[in-house]
Amino acid sequence: MMDRAALRLILLGVFLLSATSGPVKKKQNVDIYSFYINSTVTSRYATTVITSRVANTLNESQEIQFEVKIPKNAFISKFRMVIEGKTYDGVVKEKAEAQQQYNKAVSRGQSAGLVKSVGRILEDFKTSVAVAALSKVTFELTYEELLQRRLGKYELLINAQPMQPVADFKIDVHIQEKPGISFLEVKGDLSTGDLANAITTTRADKDAWVTFYPTRSQQTKCKSCGEHGMNGDLLITYDVQRKNPKGDVMVSKGYFVHYFAPTDVPRIPKNVVFIIDHSGSMSGRKMQQTRLALLRILSDLDEDDHFGLITFDSEVSFWKRELLKATETNLKNAKSFVKEIRDRGATDINAAVLAGVEMINRHPREGTASILILLTDGDPTSGETNIQKIMSNVKEAIGTKFPLYCLGFGYDVNFDFLTKMSLENSGVARRIYEDSDADLQLQGFYDEVAVPLLTDIQLKYPGGTNLTKTSFGLYFNGSEIVVSGQITDNSVESFTTEVIAVSKGRNVTYQDTIMAKDPSDVPPENEDFMQRLWAYLTVKQLLERQVLLKGQEKEDEKKEALKLSLKYQFVTPLTSMVVTKPQEGEVEIADKPKEGGREHFDAVAVPDAAPYMSLDVALDEEMDQEVLLETETLFDVPLISLETPPIEESDAAMYSTFEEVFDSDIIFDVLPTYSSPSMQTTSPPAVQVHSSRFLQPVVGQSKPLCFDVPVPHKLRLLQDSASEFSMNGESLSEQNGFHQIAFHYKMNHLLIVSTKSISYRNGQDNAEFLWGQEKTQLDTDGVSLVVLENEMNVTMGNIGVVILSHKKDGVMFLWPAIWEYPKDVSLTGILGKGDISYEETKGSQTLTLKINNKEWKTSLETVSDYRLHSTPVRECWLVPFQAVMEAEIADFTVTRL
Ligand SMILES: *[C@@H]1O[C@H](CO)[C@@H](O)[C@H](O)[C@H]1NC(C)=O
Ligand SMILES: *[C@@H]1O[C@H](CO)[C@@H](O)[C@H](O)[C@H]1NC(C)=O
Ligand SMILES: *[C@@H]1O[C@H](CO)[C@@H](O)[C@H](O)[C@H]1NC(C)=O
Ligand SMILES: *[C@@H]1O[C@H](CO)[C@@H](O)[C@H](O)[C@H]1NC(C)=O
């Protein structure tokens, strides 16, 4: 018995979301008196420093937040806070080490938080710090990126959202390009309306300056501005002069970079095959946007191009068996075909890609450039579904002869698989975001590969070493090949580059020698940039290659990437930045977030540091037990610690208090971090909505029903009020199933099953299990838990649930199955419908089902039956959620597990 049970909760982004949606007091007690963004681009390498100076105008201490958005492609390289004359610098550490420091802070009960979230182009950096009454704080964040040339231009994107009008607001951009700047344009929503007057552009031959100094009143008057000031982007686009077809070489302090983008060669006719997924999941807008994009792409083909169209679901269909010339008649016929593409069955990626390869292989390829473009929005579910097998089939069929580009539509795709498959075949994978402009994204991608100028490009640097990638399959008009490296002998006078490639029907060679000692190369204040550029490019490429490597080679490359990340203090997927704050060593961690969905670099084998939701229930001072509920949720809310006074009650009562604390309003009133309401965004970060498909068995019918439930949501899966039983599950976005399922039974039983571990407590017995162990069993007090290797049987009272642990493409998730519904128990929750029936009623055109005396439109779809380890794909009648549940989804969402 514990008589002094201190209950300590270190919480929980999730609960906080509900907290912040409560009433927020309006106070203007934070003054951002200066906000500068200073971006220097030297030879495409952009270093941006954001400096925000903030005063606490309140006569008491309060938490002040700093939140900015930075491009996904960039690496954070510095973060600093200056408070009362003292400087606090973030330090980049290996991920595991940073994690340790973070955990230590958590176990000491200090609040630890972190910084991340993902948008389409930008990432969120967010932190906060306590600032004394009437004091000031300076935040300074630096990030670096190599601007990539696309469609003939570089783009520098600067987001400005200071959260209030700022008296002294400045954006300064300085671009220095040795070959000369050919054009420069300032776009973005901050360049429109009254704000346009705040922009000045100054150009010299090799330099350009853009300043943006909006006055306070201008900051409230633009289209996207309001009482919280500006919120928008400045997009600076430019290109450089290309007088030398051999490219531009710059040398500085033992490093060089070679930019190669010749324009003196004709376009090469191309053979392009589009492989279009028209499986059921593409239905609706996706299919429509795909048709639209294809129609435009077809119009853009050149007459000497050859093209093929393949559509696939569980079957592969051809417009024509052969590649045909893009003549007017052929295009016209192809367009009619495209207009008729409709969505239907499952997804046989293997057969479709192999058919595309064969089509190209049958066609004479001499003097042309062949390209295979796969567009899909799902996993392989039909034909060959083993991803390894598909990859090896495709690799063997293509045999390095041409690239495969994979476009993953939306978040249901296994983007990891697409990335690997395209990298293995010298292409790239691109995500097409499900949005109103998806057709433009598709077309934009095509435009990038529309004009091949060179194939089989090899770049050679006799005096160079530690080179980044030097061999490229294709070079497209509007892009640029960048190679960087170290110079072997720094004392040599000259440096030679050689490029050999195949142009239209002939071999071409570009050879160049430059004077390595050209003093005008690099401005002195920026002399380290080239070394950093080299490191940036090397780390990016090493991380990218990780997916292709195995064993020792993979380890070695990972080690190298880590070494460079640490040396140059880049926050990459292998490192984290630890920010120690003034309050008694309070620690926060900044990580390179990974994109939502199942996409991830294998490089991130180190456990992802954060955000952790840590539920720390200290049963007494000595026995400090911690249940780590690990999550990769995108909600990034600082962790907060709060202590309730010790309670002198029985263990059982403790849990009810635990519940009360969660439910009470008081908890949210004492949240100290949010005392600065004027500066916070209370809405949760935008999360792409994605759904999980549930199978509803129907007795006496061959086809079950199925329905989709949008995730991420915390869902009430099963509840029996009479026996005080409930089971709730939480999904992550873009993932199948659940990553965490919680069981509550009677007053005091709490079982939390997550993909990482299983923890059970009932006030007396506390137990932890791990997946993948030998059979373990625990029987107590009406509860029986049996943990098998990848399955767990839970019995609580007369309710039995099986939790299966599935692994798909390396990502683990959970799925609950109920094989027997107890009699005479009225169960609720998404899985609560033990029996349901339907009748088919044939309308004139569409099929309808009569369920619970109501008619519902339906279509024949497929569902993966995760109630079985083999995950068979079954046909089902897809109906709206409401048809089965007779209620709205909101009735099944819970705010906490
Ligand atoms: C911007 O950065 C450059 C280079 O570091 C520096 O010379 C300049 O003073 C900075 N401008 C501002 C406004 O901080
Ligand atoms: C803060 O200001 C209020 C009124 O403006 C005053 O009553 C209070 O004593 C002040 N608190 C401190 C700590 O100075
Ligand atoms: C390459 O693109 C430029 C414009 O970006 C254009 O002027 C040029 O004609 C293109 N080259 C070929 C071969 O199409
Ligand atoms: C280009 O070079 C390769 C080998 O270097 C040779 O096999 C091929 O015939 C050459 N092509 C032309 C068109 O000269």
Side-chain angles (χ1 to χ4, degrees):
M1 278 290 251
M2 282 160 278
D3 47 20
R4 300 212 119 225
L7 176 60
R8 189 169 68 217
L9 306 172
I10 295 179
L11 282 219
L12 303 175
V14 188
F15 301 125
L16 232 70
L17 285 174
S18 40
T20 50
S21 58
V24 177
K25 284 165 265 157
K26 270 253 175 288
K27 288 189 274 181
Q28 264 294 0
N29 45 32
V30 167
D31 179 28
I32 305 177
Y33 59 95
S34 125
F35 195 103
Y36 289 169
I37 302 179
N38 190 351
S39 208
T40 309
V41 186
T42 308
S43 199
R44 292 76 149 172
Y45 195 68
T47 305
T48 302
V49 184
I50 303 178
T51 312
S52 171
R53 295 185 172 83
V54 189
N56 175 10
T57 56
L58 204 62
N59 71 355
E60 58 191 59
S61 163
Q62 68 166 327
E63 200 79 11
I64 289 183
Q65 226 175 41
F66 171 69
E67 179 176 8
V68 291
K69 295 196 173 65
I70 68 166
K72 268 185 184 173
N73 227 5
F75 289 149
I76 290 174
S77 56
K78 190 169 160 193
F79 177 65
R80 156 177 290 186
M81 293 187 285
V82 183
I83 307 158
E84 288 160 29
K86 271 180 85 176
T87 300
Y88 300 86
D89 278 317
V91 181
V92 173
K93 298 195 170 172
E94 182 175 2
K95 208 155 195 170
E97 193 189 331
Q99 172 69 60
Q100 241 172 26
Q101 196 159 347
Y102 170 86
N103 280 344
K104 235 188 267 163
V106 169
S107 65
R108 281 201 306 266
Q110 289 152 353
S111 89
L114 82 135
V115 212
K116 82 173 173 187
S117 114
V118 180
R120 185 156 140 187
I121 310 159
L122 297 163
E123 283 168 6
D124 220 27
F125 179 96
K126 180 153 85 177
T127 187
S128 69
V129 66
V131 176
L134 306 169
S135 287
K136 293 173 178 173
V137 56
T138 300
F139 298 100
E140 189 188 297
L141 178 77
T142 306
Y143 60 86
E144 303 176 27
E145 66 191 311
L146 181 64
L147 304 180
Q148 230 182 338
R149 187 165 185 252
R150 289 218 169 103
L151 301 172
K153 56 183 187 283
Y154 306 97
E155 292 188 336
L156 177 71
L157 179 69
I158 296 175
N159 179 273
Q161 193 179 349
M163 301 296 207
Q164 60 174 244
V166 177
D168 180 18
F169 182 98
K170 284 183 177 167
I171 296 181
D172 278 283
V173 178
H174 180 196
I175 299 169
Q176 317 165 73
E177 292 289 353
K178 198 178 77 161
I181 295 164
S182 65
F183 82 88
L184 179 98
E185 210 181 331
V186 182
K187 298 194 288 195
D189 42 13
L190 294 183
S191 70
T192 58
D194 199 19
L195 281 178
N197 301 322
I199 297 175
T200 65
T201 308
T202 314
R203 286 197 35 199
D205 177 27
K206 295 178 179 176
D207 295 82
W209 293 265
V210 176
T211 65
F212 177 60
Y213 298 168
T215 62
R216 216 187 166 106
S217 91
Q218 280 172 325
Q219 290 173 43
T220 60
K221 278 193 268 175
C222 76
K223 221 163 71 188
S224 54
C225 309
E227 60 170 316
H228 296 308
M230 291 182 298
N231 175 6
D233 297 326
L234 213 53
L235 183 69
I236 296 157
T237 65
Y238 74 96
D239 197 11
V240 304
Q241 309 270 7
R242 283 168 215 282
K243 295 188 190 106
N244 184 355
K246 299 162 186 166
D248 287 302
V249 182
M250 294 181 75
V251 170
S252 168
K253 291 181 84 183
Y255 290 81
F256 78 90
V257 59
H258 181 201
Y259 297 99
F260 180 69
T263 52
D264 63 337
V265 277
R267 61 176 287 282
I268 302 177
K270 62 184 181 291
N271 308 313
V272 57
V273 175
F274 301 94
I275 306 170
I276 309 297
D277 183 345
H278 67 142
S279 62
S281 51
M282 285 286 289
S283 71
R285 191 164 73 160
K286 281 198 232 170
M287 201 70 254
Q288 196 186 337
Q289 289 170 321
T290 303
R291 283 194 297 265
L292 198 62
L294 276 174
L295 291 175
R296 292 210 208 101
I297 289 170
L298 288 174
S299 303
D300 285 348
L301 288 174
D302 283 281
E303 185 149 357
D304 56 355
D305 287 340
H306 284 73
F307 71 107
L309 287 168
I310 294 176
T311 60
F312 71 102
D313 45 26
S314 48
E315 281 163 39
V316 177
S317 320
F318 299 83
W319 166 59
K320 290 282 180 319
R321 288 267 161 189
E322 266 79 56
L323 285 185
L324 286 188
K325 205 161 179 221
T327 62
E328 219 170 290
T329 328
N330 285 341
L331 288 176
K332 196 164 146 255
N333 292 335
K335 284 179 187 173
S336 311
F337 175 82
V338 166
K339 284 178 192 154
E340 292 308 313
I341 300 177
R342 294 286 177 271
D343 59 280
R344 17 183 256 209
T347 312
D348 190 345
I349 290 180
N350 184 61
V353 176
L354 293 181
V357 175
E358 201 202 323
M359 206 171 195
I360 290 187
N361 277 341
R362 275 203 313 265
H363 187 82
R365 286 196 315 274
E366 192 68 21
T368 62
S370 297
I371 302 168
L372 209 49
I373 300 178
L374 167 70
L375 171 72
T376 181
D377 75 333
D379 287 344
T381 56
S382 166
E384 179 60 69
T385 57
N386 179 329
I387 282 166
Q388 297 304 330
K389 197 83 215 297
I390 297 175
M391 288 201 298
S392 72
N393 288 346
V394 169
K395 192 174 173 190
E396 192 190 324
I398 292 181
T400 73
K401 292 190 293 272
F402 45 84
L404 168 67
Y405 296 99
C406 295
L407 304 178
F409 206 143
Y411 279 100
D412 282 346
V413 289
N414 184 343
F415 200 67
D416 227 14
F417 157 58
L418 295 184
T419 304
K420 262 188 210 174
M421 190 159 70
S422 36
L423 285 174
E424 275 196 347
N425 297 289
S426 52
V428 290
R430 203 54 88 67
R431 198 190 284 285
I432 303 297
Y433 294 86
E434 248 181 286
D435 220 332
S436 55
D437 67 343
D439 51 324
L440 297 178
Q441 298 173 51
L442 285 169
Q443 199 189 351
F445 173 80
Y446 170 77
D447 287 344
E448 285 179 43
V449 300
V451 184
L453 296 182
L454 296 173
T455 66
D456 308 299
I457 305 111
Q458 304 291 334
L459 300 102
K460 294 179 184 169
Y461 305 92
T465 180
N466 288 331
L467 305 173
T468 60
K469 194 173 159 190
T470 55
S471 145
F472 300 82
L474 280 165
Y475 159 67
F476 298 104
N477 198 19
S479 72
E480 179 174 69
I481 289 173
V482 184
V483 180
S484 182
Q486 285 172 272
I487 292 174
T488 347
D489 180 0
N490 209 12
S491 64
V492 296
E493 298 283 307
S494 64
F495 184 73
T496 300
T497 65
E498 187 187 50
V499 186
I500 51 173
V502 181
S503 163
K504 188 180 181 179
R506 67 191 178 96
N507 290 338
V508 290
T509 305
Y510 297 89
Q511 218 168 24
D512 200 11
T513 299
I514 65 140
M515 289 299 134
K517 293 268 177 273
D518 185 348
S520 68
D521 260 8
V522 179
E525 72 272 16
N526 204 358
E527 58 187 4
D528 279 341
F529 99 92
M530 201 174 299
Q531 187 173 351
R532 299 191 70 85
L533 185 161
W534 167 81
Y536 172 97
L537 202 56
T538 305
V539 170
K540 283 258 157 171
Q541 292 181 357
L542 285 171
L543 290 173
E544 191 178 86
R545 279 163 49 85
Q546 287 288 307
V547 298
L548 298 180
L549 298 175
K550 287 200 184 67
Q552 192 57 41
E553 200 180 358
K554 181 173 183 148
E555 284 310 305
D556 290 349
E557 294 214 345
K558 196 157 115 185
K559 224 178 263 169
E560 182 63 23
L562 175 64
K563 198 180 93 191
L564 289 173
S565 303
L566 291 173
K567 176 165 180 197
Y568 294 92
Q569 293 279 291
F570 290 143
V571 178
T572 69
L574 301 175
T575 54
S576 299
M577 182 182 274
V578 177
V579 180
T580 305
K581 303 207 277 188
Q583 295 91 354
E584 300 153 37
E586 198 178 298
V587 168
E588 283 196 316
I589 290 182
D591 271 331
K592 183 84 189 160
K594 59 189 185 194
E595 180 141 342
R598 294 144 3 170
E599 165 192 20
H600 62 275
F601 281 119
D602 276 1
V604 206
V606 201
D608 210 1
Y612 271 72
M613 298 197 305
S614 164
L615 169 63
D616 179 345
V617 183
L619 297 176
D620 71 20
E621 303 305 334
E622 275 75 52
M623 206 178 84
D624 194 297
Q625 300 215 1
E626 190 178 51
V627 196
L628 257 191
L629 310 185
E630 189 182 340
T631 165
E632 290 159 325
T633 172
L634 299 178
F635 300 122
D636 54 330
V637 189
L639 292 155
I640 286 174
S641 118
L642 68 102
E643 307 235 1
T644 60
I647 8 165
E648 296 182 57
E649 270 170 300
S650 74
D651 311 343
M654 199 201 94
Y655 281 98
S656 67
T657 311
F658 167 81
E659 306 266 316
E660 276 160 31
V661 172
F662 273 115
D663 287 334
S664 75
D665 290 327
I666 309 160
I667 197 174
F668 301 132
D669 286 352
V670 292
L671 292 178
T673 316
Y674 287 85
S675 50
S676 143
S678 62
M679 296 190 53
Q680 34 166 306
T681 41
T682 47
S683 55
V687 173
Q688 201 84 22
V689 177
H690 158 90
S691 21
S692 240
R693 182 160 291 179
F694 284 78
L695 181 151
Q696 174 68 51
V698 181
V699 180
Q701 293 275 10
S702 64
K703 287 197 179 62
L705 297 174
C706 52
F707 57 90
D708 290 338
V709 180
V711 295
H713 267 320
K714 290 186 209 50
L715 298 169
R716 172 135 295 157
L717 297 172
L718 195 65
Q719 183 170 31
D720 172 28
S721 311
S723 70
E724 294 170 84
F725 168 91
S726 68
M727 170 172 81
N728 300 326
E730 183 177 12
S731 303
L732 295 180
S733 52
E734 4 308 348
Q735 190 183 304
N736 287 315
F738 300 91
H739 79 108
Q740 200 162 288
I741 295 177
F743 291 80
H744 303 262
Y745 179 54
K746 302 280 196 242
M747 290 276 276
N748 56 341
H749 298 261
L750 175 64
L751 168 67
I752 294 172
V753 185
S754 82
T755 50
K756 297 278 157 36
S757 67
I758 299 160
S759 122
Y760 169 71
R761 47 197 65 205
N762 65 9
Q764 284 154 8
D765 298 306
N766 299 311
E768 305 280 344
F769 305 91
L770 289 173
W771 291 106
Q773 308 277 328
E774 279 173 26
K775 179 176 167 179
T776 327
Q777 183 150 4
L778 185 133
D779 283 295
T780 164
D781 204 7
V783 172
S784 159
L785 308 175
V786 184
V787 184
L788 302 165
E789 198 194 344
N790 52 6
E791 171 178 309
M792 174 170 188
N793 300 336
V794 179
T795 312
M796 292 184 164
N798 55 359
I799 297 170
V801 180
V802 182
I803 308 263
L804 286 86
S805 111
H806 286 277
K807 199 159 191 180
K808 199 160 184 197
D809 319 319
V811 180
M812 201 174 147
F813 64 90
L814 306 172
W815 197 270
I818 298 159
W819 294 110
E820 208 171 340
Y821 285 84
K823 299 217 165 36
D824 306 311
V825 171
S826 99
L827 291 169
T828 52
I830 288 177
L831 303 175
K833 294 274 178 199
D835 57 348
I836 190 164
S837 59
Y838 67 77
E839 278 171 48
E840 288 182 23
T841 54
K842 296 228 164 51
S844 53
Q845 290 289 311
T846 52
L847 189 81
T848 55
L849 297 183
K850 195 165 180 187
I851 307 166
N852 300 322
N853 281 321
K854 262 186 149 163
E855 302 240 322
W856 300 90
K857 264 196 211 145
T858 187
S859 57
L860 196 55
E861 299 286 349
T862 58
V863 58
S864 298
D865 191 351
Y866 293 117
R867 300 173 310 161
L868 298 168
H869 285 297
S870 57
T871 319
V873 175
R874 302 182 56 179
E875 282 194 321
C876 61
W877 293 116
L878 181 67
V879 291
F881 178 85
Q882 292 80 358
V884 175
M885 305 312 302
E886 299 176 84
E888 295 298 326
I889 287 164
D891 298 326
F892 296 89
T893 60
V894 292
T895 50
R896 59 186 177 81
L897 281 188

